[in-house]
Amino acid sequence: MYYQLYELNHAMMAPWRAAADQMRIAFRNPLNPLSHTYFGRTMAAGFEVLERTTRRYGKPAFDLPTTPIDGKDVSVHEKIVWKRPFCNLIHFERCLPAGHRKDPKVLIVAPMSGHYATLLRGTVEALLPHAEVHITDWIDARMVPISDGSFDLDDYIDYVIQMLHALGPDTHVIAVCQPAVPVLAAVSVMEADNDPLSPSTMTLMGGPIDTRINPTAVNNLAKEKPLDWFRDNVIMPVPWPQPGFMRQVYPGFLQLSGFMSMNLDRHVIAHKEFFAHLVKNDGDAAEKHRDFYDEYLAVMDLTAEFYLQTVETVFMKHALPKGEMMHRSRPVDTTAIRKVALLTVEGENDDISGVGQTKAAQTICTNIPDDMRMHYMQPDVGHYGVFNGSRFRKEIAPRILSFIEAHGKANKAKPVPRVIKGGKASGTA
């Protein structure tokens, strides 16, 4: 009944939330003399904090209307080019200037782990000036009618293969965090089948390839509890009147609660500082807080079958690095990958996927030639910094683009640098 109680609590808070929002507007109105006083700003700040901490955050927008190309801003339009019940594939279509060179096709596989694909807005923004970017836009499971069937880890792998087929040859796939495992599995299956549409490069960023290496708090939780505990305690039916009514899911609010509890003191301090910025009329700092938490607090549900299969396969059995992972009754053989260049990226302070967990892909993909593989660890960044932020834009994104450029089908003869000055990089595992 937890999900129903959560929905009931949200509904009961609705009038209080609406009243708080109205009072915030009243105390912010410049025609109200109190709005120019410390008391008025304090009241407005308190009401805004109350409203924001009790609301449900909807799916954010990518909001990337333009991108700089050849020194000029060109318009960008989101276009759905492939669609299934649990995922849309979005192409960020750029209005390119005449004579612009053909840029590489990039498929970003966003994590299906509680947050929307818009969490990778910074990733998309950094790559857009240099590539034809596509991203998986996973659908909130509570919004998918139960009549549309199930979705598990095998379906995830099938979706990745189908999207690579839809995009055609010489595509470059980037997996951020959780999808590192299914993307590596999908490429292994394609290579085992000698699929001509296998990607040219595969970039795995902060992913749990082998969670036995430097296990984090997230990894330890999965090992401490049996699978039945997760099935009994975190799997719940979607309540009425949502479109996915009665679908068994792992609710996004539970995932969010777990993440926030890991760094609760940091979130409490952030909200205290937000309140202080509002009182001081520090609009820039307050807006940065809003932007971050509008994204961070927007969560989606996962199907129960996908969540449980992932927990068992990735975190309990470590099936992929042990060579025991199966995809629809056939083994996933990572040694079959021979023609796909591999780049692995980690963050030095990652507390979700520990250092070495992603690099493990270099060890299990034994038949990729040495000049087609590279590992890079970014100093001084945590999990989020692996795919977002200033260090990603300045340090990581250029390396990804350089790797893609070197190993595109038209550039196979170009060597790739195996040691990169200024960071921690190596050519082989």
Side-chain angles (χ1 to χ4, degrees):
M1 297 295 292
Y2 286 133
Y3 206 154
Q4 287 84 351
L5 290 173
Y6 172 80
E7 291 289 309
L8 178 62
N9 178 71
H10 179 76
M12 291 175 61
M13 285 298 299
W16 296 99
R17 189 165 50 252
D21 196 36
Q22 291 300 312
M23 294 301 292
R24 175 189 64 85
I25 294 172
F27 277 103
R28 281 270 184 90
N29 192 326
L31 298 179
N32 182 352
L34 290 175
S35 67
H36 305 286
T37 66
Y38 179 82
F39 172 77
R41 293 195 302 272
T42 301
M43 294 299 292
F47 283 123
E48 179 166 352
V49 171
L50 173 62
E51 191 277 329
R52 290 184 61 84
T53 53
T54 57
R55 76 162 69 160
R56 174 183 289 127
Y57 289 78
K59 179 184 177 182
F62 278 102
D63 193 25
L64 296 171
T66 63
T67 190
I69 294 180
D70 297 337
K72 297 181 180 179
D73 285 345
V74 303
S75 59
V76 178
H77 305 282
E78 294 180 30
K79 182 179 179 182
I80 296 177
V81 295
W82 182 91
K83 189 172 185 177
R84 294 295 184 275
F86 292 90
C87 184
N88 294 326
L89 180 60
I90 296 177
H91 176 209
F92 293 89
E93 195 171 58
R94 306 166 300 165
C95 296
L96 297 173
H100 184 76
R101 68 167 194 154
K102 184 178 180 181
D103 287 328
K105 286 181 297 184
V106 173
L107 168 61
I108 302 175
V109 183
M112 192 180 189
S113 56
H115 284 99
Y116 292 97
T118 50
L119 192 68
L120 304 188
R121 183 186 294 102
T123 316
V124 174
E125 185 176 21
L127 300 180
L128 262 182
H130 314 284
E132 289 291 343
V133 179
H134 305 74
I135 193 168
T136 56
D137 186 25
W138 301 106
I139 308 298
D140 187 347
R142 67 190 249 140
M143 303 305 294
V144 182
I146 198 168
S147 59
D148 282 336
S150 62
F151 182 85
D152 60 13
L153 186 57
D154 289 326
D155 295 313
Y156 195 122
I157 294 170
D158 288 339
Y159 272 30
V160 172
I161 294 173
Q162 292 170 25
M163 284 184 277
L164 287 169
H165 284 173
L167 293 179
D170 202 13
T171 298
H172 305 266
V173 63
I174 299 174
V176 180
C177 189
Q178 167 268 321
V181 170
V183 165
L184 182 53
V187 173
S188 299
V189 170
M190 296 177 78
E191 285 283 84
D193 292 340
N194 292 313
D195 194 323
L197 298 179
S198 294
S200 296
T201 69
M202 171 173 54
T203 300
L204 309 179
M205 306 174 64
I209 299 299
D210 190 347
T211 59
R212 296 171 299 179
I213 302 171
N214 289 325
T216 64
V218 176
N219 307 148
N220 289 331
L221 174 63
K223 290 196 302 183
E224 291 169 358
K225 307 288 186 181
L227 190 64
D228 285 342
W229 183 91
F230 290 93
R231 184 179 289 109
D232 295 339
N233 290 276
V234 303
I235 301 302
M236 306 171 189
V238 175
W240 184 86
Q242 303 301 326
F245 175 55
M246 292 305 294
R247 177 181 292 281
Q248 296 292 313
V249 298
Y250 173 47
F253 72 86
L254 283 184
Q255 176 85 321
L256 180 63
S257 299
F259 278 136
M260 294 196 73
S261 64
M262 291 173 60
N263 299 286
L264 186 59
D265 55 341
R266 186 185 305 172
H267 293 294
V268 171
I269 292 171
H271 281 78
K272 286 182 178 179
E273 291 176 346
F274 175 57
F275 178 85
H277 292 317
L278 290 173
V279 175
K280 293 177 183 178
N281 267 338
D282 187 352
D284 290 342
E287 193 58 33
K288 287 181 181 178
H289 176 98
R290 293 189 189 100
D291 290 343
F292 175 79
Y293 279 99
D294 283 354
E295 190 76 57
Y296 188 76
L297 299 176
V299 292
M300 55 182 283
D301 295 354
L302 313 180
T303 62
E305 57 273 15
F306 168 76
Y307 174 77
L308 293 173
Q309 191 177 355
T310 299
V311 169
E312 182 179 30
T313 302
V314 178
F315 298 101
M316 291 183 172
K317 293 184 175 180
H318 315 287
L320 183 63
K322 291 165 70 174
E324 299 171 357
M325 185 172 177
M326 305 292 288
H327 172 248
R328 301 202 185 282
S329 77
R330 64 179 292 188
V332 173
D333 182 12
T334 56
T335 65
I337 304 176
R338 300 173 183 272
K339 298 175 292 184
V340 181
L342 173 64
L343 170 63
T344 50
V345 181
E346 295 181 332
E348 184 179 33
N349 303 323
D350 195 330
D351 60 351
I352 302 297
S353 295
V355 172
Q357 292 186 9
T358 310
K359 187 180 180 181
Q362 302 282 357
T363 303
I364 63 177
C365 296
T366 56
N367 288 321
I368 298 177
D370 286 348
D371 62 351
M372 291 175 59
R373 61 168 79 222
M374 184 192 306
H375 174 72
Y376 176 73
M377 184 176 74
Q378 176 62 48
D380 303 320
V381 301
H383 187 71
Y384 191 76
V386 172
F387 55 89
N388 251 321
S390 60
R391 287 192 176 91
F392 171 78
R393 292 191 298 271
K394 295 176 183 178
E395 301 287 339
I396 299 175
R399 287 163 168 79
I400 295 174
L401 291 166
S402 175
F403 191 81
I404 286 173
E405 182 70 22
H407 293 288
K409 289 288 194 293
N411 304 298
K412 281 294 185 182
K414 291 185 179 180
V416 61
R418 296 177 62 193
V419 178
I420 301 176
K421 187 177 181 180
K424 301 179 181 179
S426 60
T428 63

XYZ file of all heavy atoms in Angstrom, residues 131-218:
658
model
N 28.312 16.507 -33.665
C 27.758 15.197 -34.008
C 26.259 15.268 -34.227
O 25.584 16.182 -33.744
C 28.076 14.194 -32.899
N 25.754 14.269 -34.968
C 24.305 14.059 -35.093
C 23.883 13.222 -33.899
O 24.101 12.008 -33.857
C 23.977 13.337 -36.410
C 24.157 14.165 -37.654
C 23.133 15.295 -37.765
O 22.103 15.236 -37.055
O 23.370 16.227 -38.538
N 23.304 13.861 -32.914
C 23.061 13.221 -31.624
C 21.652 12.638 -31.553
O 20.672 13.312 -31.897
C 23.279 14.209 -30.464
C 23.006 13.534 -29.131
C 24.698 14.772 -30.499
N 21.575 11.398 -31.098
C 20.301 10.725 -30.805
C 20.363 10.252 -29.360
O 21.430 9.876 -28.864
C 20.084 9.524 -31.726
C 20.161 9.837 -33.186
N 21.360 10.102 -33.828
C 19.191 9.934 -34.135
C 21.122 10.327 -35.107
N 19.830 10.241 -35.311
N 19.220 10.236 -28.682
C 19.203 9.790 -27.284
C 17.953 8.980 -26.996
O 16.874 9.247 -27.557
C 19.296 10.998 -26.321
C 19.593 10.539 -24.882
C 18.034 11.845 -26.365
C 19.980 11.660 -23.935
N 18.114 7.980 -26.151
C 16.969 7.163 -25.735
C 16.152 7.932 -24.705
O 16.677 8.350 -23.680
C 17.452 5.843 -25.114
O 18.332 6.137 -24.021
C 18.188 4.990 -26.130
N 14.893 8.116 -24.982
C 13.982 8.813 -24.070
C 13.049 7.763 -23.469
O 11.977 7.481 -24.009
C 13.201 9.886 -24.830
C 12.348 10.741 -23.918
O 12.694 10.843 -22.725
O 11.328 11.295 -24.385
N 13.483 7.176 -22.347
C 12.714 6.097 -21.727
C 11.397 6.621 -21.161
O 11.332 7.724 -20.631
C 13.530 5.421 -20.625
C 14.813 4.846 -21.127
C 16.069 5.342 -20.931
C 14.972 3.673 -21.929
N 17.001 4.544 -21.547
C 16.356 3.516 -22.167
C 14.077 2.735 -22.461
C 16.865 2.470 -22.921
C 14.590 1.687 -23.214
C 15.959 1.557 -23.439
N 10.357 5.801 -21.258
C 9.016 6.191 -20.821
C 8.787 5.747 -19.379
O 9.154 4.638 -18.989
C 7.941 5.558 -21.736
C 8.248 5.845 -23.216
C 6.551 6.073 -21.361
C 8.257 7.315 -23.568
N 8.175 6.617 -18.599
C 7.793 6.300 -17.223
C 6.854 5.090 -17.247
O 5.795 5.119 -17.883
C 7.097 7.518 -16.612
C 6.814 7.358 -15.123
O 6.929 6.228 -14.611
O 6.477 8.376 -14.494
N 7.224 4.011 -16.547
C 6.443 2.769 -16.591
C 5.020 2.974 -16.097
O 4.105 2.247 -16.516
C 7.139 1.683 -15.773
N 4.792 3.933 -15.207
C 3.432 4.166 -14.707
C 2.529 4.762 -15.787
O 1.310 4.782 -15.622
C 3.463 5.071 -13.475
C 3.892 6.471 -13.725
C 4.121 7.230 -12.435
N 3.117 8.262 -12.221
C 2.562 8.556 -11.069
N 2.890 7.883 -9.998
N 1.689 9.522 -10.952
N 3.145 5.226 -16.881
C 2.376 5.813 -17.975
C 2.130 4.827 -19.109
O 1.498 5.171 -20.105
C 3.114 7.042 -18.524
C 3.413 8.117 -17.487
S 1.937 8.671 -16.608
C 1.038 9.466 -17.959
N 2.612 3.590 -18.977
C 2.457 2.593 -20.039
C 1.372 1.595 -19.630
O 1.525 0.882 -18.629
C 3.780 1.845 -20.298
C 3.610 0.855 -21.448
C 4.905 2.829 -20.606
N 0.269 1.527 -20.364
C -0.807 0.586 -20.012
C -0.291 -0.844 -19.917
O 0.611 -1.242 -20.663
C -1.805 0.740 -21.170
C -1.524 2.089 -21.740
C -0.049 2.310 -21.573
N -0.871 -1.600 -19.019
C -0.426 -2.976 -18.814
C -0.664 -3.824 -20.062
O 0.003 -4.835 -20.280
C -1.155 -3.567 -17.581
C -0.421 -4.802 -17.065
C -2.611 -3.868 -17.889
C -0.905 -5.266 -15.712
N -1.569 -3.385 -20.930
C -1.851 -4.101 -22.180
C -0.688 -4.037 -23.165
O -0.637 -4.811 -24.130
C -3.107 -3.531 -22.847
O -2.949 -2.150 -23.118
N 0.269 -3.112 -22.943
C 1.433 -3.001 -23.833
C 2.516 -4.003 -23.505
O 3.586 -3.993 -24.124
C 2.016 -1.584 -23.772
C 1.205 -0.592 -24.587
O 0.514 -1.024 -25.532
O 1.255 0.613 -24.277
N 2.269 -4.875 -22.551
C 3.196 -5.954 -22.268
C 4.274 -5.583 -21.271
O 4.246 -4.523 -20.650
N 5.237 -6.480 -21.135
C 6.293 -6.327 -20.145
C 7.544 -5.725 -20.776
O 7.643 -5.564 -21.992
C 6.626 -7.688 -19.517
O 7.107 -8.574 -20.518
N 8.509 -5.395 -19.919
C 9.791 -4.873 -20.386
C 10.857 -5.291 -19.393
O 10.833 -4.878 -18.236
C 9.746 -3.348 -20.499
C 11.026 -2.740 -21.025
C 11.254 -2.655 -22.386
C 12.000 -2.280 -20.157
C 12.434 -2.106 -22.874
C 13.178 -1.730 -20.630
C 13.399 -1.637 -21.994
N 11.787 -6.142 -19.839
C 12.848 -6.606 -18.948
C 14.213 -6.313 -19.557
O 14.325 -5.613 -20.565
C 12.675 -8.091 -18.628
C 12.725 -8.984 -19.871
O 13.138 -8.497 -20.945
O 12.351 -10.170 -19.763
N 15.259 -6.858 -18.956
C 16.618 -6.586 -19.416
C 16.845 -7.119 -20.824
O 17.553 -6.499 -21.632
C 17.624 -7.205 -18.438
C 19.112 -6.911 -18.679
C 19.377 -5.411 -18.693
C 19.964 -7.607 -17.624
N 16.239 -8.259 -21.157
C 16.344 -8.786 -22.517
C 15.702 -7.834 -23.526
O 16.227 -7.629 -24.629
C 15.678 -10.165 -22.606
C 16.475 -11.235 -21.886
O 17.716 -11.144 -21.884
O 15.856 -12.157 -21.322
N 14.553 -7.268 -23.159
C 13.904 -6.301 -24.040
C 14.774 -5.058 -24.215
O 14.857 -4.491 -25.312
C 12.539 -5.890 -23.466
C 11.551 -7.035 -23.425
O 11.427 -7.741 -24.452
O 10.906 -7.239 -22.384
N 15.430 -4.634 -23.153
C 16.321 -3.471 -23.202
C 17.416 -3.709 -24.248
O 17.710 -2.857 -25.096
C 16.929 -3.251 -21.815
C 17.583 -1.913 -21.573
C 17.146 -1.084 -20.548
C 18.674 -1.488 -22.337
C 17.762 0.138 -20.291
C 19.288 -0.267 -22.093
C 18.833 0.533 -21.063
O 19.442 1.742 -20.822
N 18.035 -4.890 -24.185
C 19.089 -5.247 -25.136
C 18.540 -5.252 -26.556
O 19.164 -4.738 -27.494
C 19.699 -6.606 -24.763
C 20.425 -6.504 -23.423
C 20.642 -7.104 -25.847
C 20.858 -7.830 -22.837
N 17.334 -5.816 -26.735
C 16.702 -5.826 -28.061
C 16.453 -4.407 -28.563
O 16.645 -4.117 -29.753
C 15.381 -6.593 -28.012
C 15.574 -8.091 -27.857
O 16.681 -8.581 -28.191
O 14.642 -8.770 -27.396
N 16.001 -3.530 -27.677
C 15.756 -2.140 -28.060
C 17.045 -1.492 -28.577
O 17.041 -0.792 -29.594
C 15.241 -1.337 -26.853
C 13.741 -1.351 -26.655
C 12.964 -2.436 -27.035
C 13.082 -0.274 -26.072
C 11.590 -2.450 -26.837
C 11.713 -0.255 -25.868
C 10.971 -1.355 -26.256
O 9.604 -1.349 -26.069
N 18.162 -1.710 -27.871
C 19.437 -1.119 -28.292
C 19.827 -1.624 -29.679
O 20.236 -0.836 -30.552
C 20.547 -1.436 -27.265
C 21.909 -0.982 -27.794
C 20.249 -0.753 -25.934
N 19.686 -2.916 -29.904
C 20.012 -3.486 -31.215
C 19.110 -2.895 -32.297
O 19.572 -2.505 -33.384
C 19.891 -5.024 -31.181
C 20.947 -5.621 -30.246
C 20.031 -5.616 -32.582
C 20.800 -7.111 -30.007
N 17.815 -2.795 -32.010
C 16.878 -2.238 -32.987
C 17.190 -0.775 -33.303
O 17.083 -0.341 -34.464
C 15.448 -2.375 -32.474
C 14.943 -3.811 -32.408
C 13.620 -3.920 -31.672
O 12.846 -2.961 -31.597
N 13.353 -5.101 -31.112
N 17.584 -0.011 -32.296
C 17.919 1.390 -32.543
C 19.183 1.521 -33.389
O 19.262 2.381 -34.271
C 18.061 2.131 -31.212
C 16.726 2.434 -30.556
S 16.863 3.406 -29.039
C 17.212 2.132 -27.848
N 20.167 0.674 -33.132
C 21.376 0.695 -33.948
C 21.056 0.313 -35.395
O 21.621 0.869 -36.333
C 22.426 -0.255 -33.363
C 23.096 0.243 -32.071
C 23.909 -0.868 -31.423
C 23.977 1.459 -32.355
N 20.130 -0.636 -35.575
C 19.698 -0.986 -36.925
C 18.982 0.186 -37.589
O 19.171 0.458 -38.780
C 18.770 -2.204 -36.874
C 19.492 -3.490 -36.642
N 18.844 -4.684 -36.422
C 20.812 -3.776 -36.588
C 19.722 -5.651 -36.252
N 20.926 -5.127 -36.343
N 18.155 0.887 -36.816
C 17.412 2.010 -37.371
C 18.334 3.155 -37.795
O 18.072 3.843 -38.786
C 16.387 2.517 -36.351
N 19.423 3.348 -37.057
C 20.343 4.442 -37.366
C 21.298 4.095 -38.490
O 21.871 4.991 -39.117
C 21.127 4.839 -36.110
C 20.293 5.473 -35.001
C 21.174 5.795 -33.793
C 19.597 6.738 -35.487
N 21.523 2.818 -38.732
C 22.337 2.427 -39.870
C 23.813 2.308 -39.546
O 24.241 2.404 -38.381
N 24.648 2.102 -40.585
C 26.071 1.850 -40.373
C 26.821 3.061 -39.848
O 26.367 4.197 -39.965
C 26.562 1.475 -41.781
C 25.591 2.141 -42.706
C 24.268 2.104 -42.013
N 27.991 2.785 -39.282
C 28.907 3.803 -38.764
C 28.250 4.678 -37.700
O 28.373 5.901 -37.706
C 29.447 4.676 -39.901
C 30.766 5.347 -39.516
O 31.360 4.946 -38.502
O 31.172 6.287 -40.227
N 27.548 4.028 -36.774
C 26.981 4.721 -35.615
C 27.905 4.521 -34.425
O 28.563 3.485 -34.293
C 25.574 4.167 -35.293
O 24.712 4.410 -36.399
C 24.981 4.833 -34.061
N 27.953 5.508 -33.561
C 28.798 5.449 -32.365
C 27.885 5.457 -31.139
O 27.093 6.378 -30.975
C 29.756 6.632 -32.342
C 30.596 6.751 -33.578
N 31.855 6.205 -33.685
C 30.325 7.342 -34.778
C 32.341 6.455 -34.889
N 31.436 7.142 -35.571
N 27.984 4.446 -30.297
C 27.085 4.326 -29.155
C 27.805 4.733 -27.878
O 28.970 4.391 -27.667
C 26.513 2.891 -29.045
C 27.603 1.869 -28.784
C 25.442 2.821 -27.957
N 27.100 5.510 -27.051
C 27.624 5.963 -25.758
C 26.639 5.527 -24.687
O 25.467 5.903 -24.729
C 27.799 7.490 -25.720
C 28.787 7.955 -26.793
C 28.255 7.949 -24.343
C 28.900 9.473 -26.904
N 27.102 4.749 -23.725
C 26.254 4.295 -22.623
C 26.680 5.001 -21.349
O 27.854 4.963 -20.974
C 26.363 2.785 -22.446
N 25.737 5.653 -20.698
C 26.031 6.409 -19.481
C 25.456 5.683 -18.277
O 24.238 5.524 -18.151
C 25.451 7.839 -19.568
C 25.769 8.621 -18.304
C 25.999 8.569 -20.793
N 26.327 5.212 -17.402
C 25.956 4.572 -16.148
C 25.282 3.218 -16.388
O 25.848 2.348 -17.038
C 25.080 5.516 -15.314
S 24.776 4.913 -13.630
N 24.064 3.032 -15.901
C 23.377 1.737 -15.895
C 23.371 1.028 -17.258
O 23.577 -0.197 -17.306
C 21.945 1.933 -15.372
C 21.005 0.762 -15.595
C 20.226 0.903 -16.909
O 19.816 1.990 -17.276
N 20.045 -0.195 -17.601
N 23.154 1.705 -18.393
C 23.086 0.975 -19.666
C 24.422 0.429 -20.151
O 24.453 -0.215 -21.212
C 22.525 2.011 -20.645
C 22.838 3.327 -20.056
C 22.787 3.122 -18.576
N 25.513 0.658 -19.426
C 26.791 0.100 -19.866
C 26.694 -1.413 -20.038
O 27.235 -1.976 -21.001
C 27.893 0.460 -18.861
N 25.986 -2.082 -19.122
C 25.862 -3.546 -19.196
C 25.005 -3.975 -20.392
O 25.460 -4.777 -21.222
C 25.321 -4.117 -17.871
C 24.953 -5.590 -18.032
C 26.351 -3.945 -16.767
N 23.753 -3.502 -20.540
C 22.974 -3.939 -21.693
C 23.555 -3.503 -23.040
O 23.404 -4.213 -24.038
C 21.593 -3.315 -21.460
C 21.790 -2.252 -20.448
C 22.950 -2.686 -19.610
N 24.222 -2.348 -23.087
C 24.840 -1.920 -24.351
C 25.996 -2.846 -24.707
O 26.130 -3.279 -25.863
C 25.304 -0.453 -24.265
C 26.254 -0.112 -25.407
C 24.104 0.479 -24.300
N 26.845 -3.169 -23.728
C 27.935 -4.098 -23.990
C 27.388 -5.464 -24.404
O 27.921 -6.114 -25.313
C 28.817 -4.232 -22.753
C 30.049 -5.146 -22.861
C 30.913 -4.771 -24.045
C 30.864 -5.100 -21.566
N 26.290 -5.886 -23.769
C 25.662 -7.157 -24.149
C 25.107 -7.092 -25.561
O 25.265 -8.037 -26.357
C 24.553 -7.506 -23.157
N 24.458 -5.986 -25.917
C 23.875 -5.831 -27.252
C 24.955 -5.873 -28.322
O 24.804 -6.538 -29.364
C 23.094 -4.521 -27.331
N 26.059 -5.171 -28.086
C 27.152 -5.158 -29.065
C 27.780 -6.548 -29.165
O 28.147 -6.996 -30.265
C 28.198 -4.092 -28.689
C 29.423 -4.176 -29.602
C 27.587 -2.694 -28.767
N 27.876 -7.255 -28.048
C 28.410 -8.621 -28.078
C 27.535 -9.522 -28.941
O 28.048 -10.325 -29.754
C 28.489 -9.181 -26.654
O 29.331 -8.414 -25.841
N 26.221 -9.408 -28.784
C 25.294 -10.217 -29.587
C 25.418 -9.865 -31.065
O 25.459 -10.751 -31.934
C 23.846 -9.998 -29.092
C 22.849 -10.627 -30.061
C 23.659 -10.578 -27.695
N 25.508 -8.578 -31.376
C 25.621 -8.156 -32.777
C 26.929 -8.651 -33.398
O 26.951 -9.122 -34.536
C 25.531 -6.637 -32.874
C 24.192 -6.072 -32.440
S 24.127 -4.264 -32.481
C 23.923 -3.968 -34.243
N 28.008 -8.549 -32.644
C 29.296 -9.004 -33.170
C 29.323 -10.522 -33.343
O 29.902 -11.032 -34.305
C 30.417 -8.557 -32.236
C 30.753 -7.085 -32.329
C 31.569 -6.779 -33.575
O 30.948 -6.593 -34.653
O 32.802 -6.732 -33.506
N 28.696 -11.251 -32.421
C 28.634 -12.708 -32.553
C 27.872 -13.113 -33.806
O 28.140 -14.164 -34.402
C 27.987 -13.319 -31.312
N 26.914 -12.269 -34.205
C 26.123 -12.531 -35.415
C 26.743 -11.919 -36.663
O 26.124 -11.950 -37.737
C 24.708 -11.972 -35.239
C 23.909 -12.734 -34.194
O 24.280 -13.885 -33.881
O 22.919 -12.172 -33.681
N 27.951 -11.343 -36.547
C 28.583 -10.630 -37.663
C 27.652 -9.592 -38.261
O 27.545 -9.444 -39.486
C 29.043 -11.615 -38.736
C 30.191 -12.496 -38.268
O 31.153 -12.000 -37.691
N 30.075 -13.800 -38.491
N 26.969 -8.888 -37.395
C 25.998 -7.883 -37.831
C 26.737 -6.710 -38.486
O 27.585 -6.072 -37.855
C 25.200 -7.385 -36.620
C 23.958 -6.603 -36.996
O 24.012 -5.851 -37.984
O 22.937 -6.732 -36.297
N 26.425 -6.392 -39.752
C 27.113 -5.275 -40.417
C 26.769 -3.916 -39.824
O 27.436 -2.929 -40.133
C 26.618 -5.380 -41.868
C 25.301 -6.091 -41.770
C 25.447 -7.052 -40.637
N 25.734 -3.866 -38.985
C 25.330 -2.600 -38.388
C 25.825 -2.448 -36.948
O 25.346 -1.588 -36.215
C 23.805 -2.457 -38.445
C 23.201 -2.438 -39.853
C 21.689 -2.305 -39.799
C 23.803 -1.305 -40.679
N 26.802 -3.263 -36.579
C 27.436 -3.055 -35.277
C 28.029 -1.654 -35.232
O 28.494 -1.141 -36.256
C 28.554 -4.088 -35.056
O 28.034 -5.391 -34.958
N 28.033 -1.015 -34.078
C 28.558 0.351 -34.018
C 30.054 0.393 -34.298
O 30.764 -0.598 -34.109
C 28.247 0.782 -32.576
C 28.175 -0.499 -31.807
C 27.589 -1.509 -32.755
N 30.523 1.557 -34.733
C 31.957 1.716 -34.974
C 32.715 1.841 -33.661
O 33.826 1.323 -33.518
C 32.208 2.953 -35.842
O 31.625 2.799 -37.121
N 32.127 2.557 -32.709
C 32.756 2.699 -31.395
C 31.717 2.507 -30.304
O 30.524 2.738 -30.522
C 33.420 4.077 -31.204
O 32.416 5.088 -31.115
C 34.378 4.400 -32.339
N 32.198 2.122 -29.134
C 31.340 1.963 -27.963
C 32.037 2.663 -26.799
O 33.172 2.326 -26.442
C 31.131 0.479 -27.661
C 30.443 0.176 -26.341
S 30.049 -1.590 -26.154
C 31.652 -2.364 -26.438
N 31.366 3.660 -26.226
C 31.906 4.392 -25.084
C 31.065 4.077 -23.861
O 29.847 4.284 -23.869
C 31.896 5.913 -25.345
O 32.696 6.205 -26.497
C 32.448 6.668 -24.143
N 31.699 3.553 -22.822
C 31.012 3.194 -21.583
C 31.475 4.148 -20.497
O 32.684 4.256 -20.234
C 31.330 1.747 -21.190
C 31.119 0.686 -22.280
C 31.500 -0.706 -21.747
C 29.687 0.688 -22.779
N 30.530 4.841 -19.851
C 30.868 5.891 -18.894
C 30.250 5.604 -17.525
O 29.029 5.525 -17.398
C 30.360 7.246 -19.407
C 30.842 7.590 -20.801
S 30.089 9.101 -21.435
C 30.740 10.295 -20.262
N 31.079 5.422 -16.524
C 30.594 5.238 -15.164
C 29.586 4.127 -15.023
O 28.583 4.286 -14.320
N 29.839 2.990 -15.651
C 28.863 1.897 -15.658
C 29.284 0.722 -14.784
O 30.472 0.469 -14.573
N 28.303 -0.061 -14.302
C 28.588 -1.169 -13.372
C 28.912 -2.478 -14.096
O 28.218 -3.482 -13.934
C 27.282 -1.273 -12.583
C 26.223 -0.900 -13.589
C 26.853 0.159 -14.470
N 29.980 -2.483 -14.882
C 30.344 -3.699 -15.610
C 30.694 -4.827 -14.643
O 30.252 -5.960 -14.794
C 31.517 -3.418 -16.574
C 31.124 -2.356 -17.619
C 31.954 -4.706 -17.268
C 29.974 -2.741 -18.509
N 31.515 -4.524 -13.634
C 31.885 -5.533 -12.640
C 31.840 -4.890 -11.257
O 32.786 -4.229 -10.825
C 33.281 -6.080 -12.921
C 33.613 -7.302 -12.063
O 32.871 -7.561 -11.093
O 34.607 -7.990 -12.368
N 30.728 -5.083 -10.561
C 30.529 -4.416 -9.271
C 31.257 -5.120 -8.126
O 31.135 -4.694 -6.970
C 29.030 -4.308 -8.941
O 28.454 -5.627 -8.904
C 28.312 -3.476 -9.990
N 32.021 -6.152 -8.415
C 32.867 -6.759 -7.384
C 34.089 -5.887 -7.103
O 34.732 -6.029 -6.067
C 33.320 -8.155 -7.837
C 32.192 -9.162 -7.998
C 32.688 -10.445 -8.645
N 33.225 -10.211 -9.993
C 33.739 -11.157 -10.766
N 33.808 -12.398 -10.316
N 34.195 -10.862 -11.977
N 34.400 -4.998 -8.032
C 35.568 -4.125 -7.910
C 35.158 -2.848 -7.174
O 34.228 -2.156 -7.577
C 36.126 -3.775 -9.304
C 36.499 -5.044 -10.069
C 37.319 -2.831 -9.188
C 36.848 -4.804 -11.521
N 35.844 -2.515 -6.104
C 35.550 -1.304 -5.325
C 34.042 -1.099 -5.130
O 33.486 -0.081 -5.552
C 36.146 -0.071 -6.017
C 37.651 -0.036 -5.939
O 38.235 -0.457 -4.944
N 38.289 0.460 -6.990
N 33.358 -2.036 -4.503
C 31.901 -1.911 -4.353
C 31.505 -0.678 -3.555
O 32.159 -0.311 -2.587
C 31.507 -3.198 -3.612
C 32.767 -3.673 -2.958
C 33.888 -3.248 -3.841
N 30.419 -0.041 -3.995
C 29.893 1.142 -3.329
C 28.713 0.758 -2.443
O 28.312 -0.412 -2.388
C 29.443 2.178 -4.370
O 28.349 1.621 -5.133
C 30.579 2.534 -5.321
N 28.128 1.758 -1.778
C 26.980 1.489 -0.911
C 25.826 0.892 -1.702
O 25.104 0.010 -1.219
C 26.541 2.777 -0.227
N 25.638 1.358 -2.934
C 24.576 0.820 -3.798
C 24.836 -0.647 -4.090
O 23.928 -1.491 -4.038
C 24.489 1.631 -5.100
C 23.468 1.015 -6.050
C 24.121 3.081 -4.806
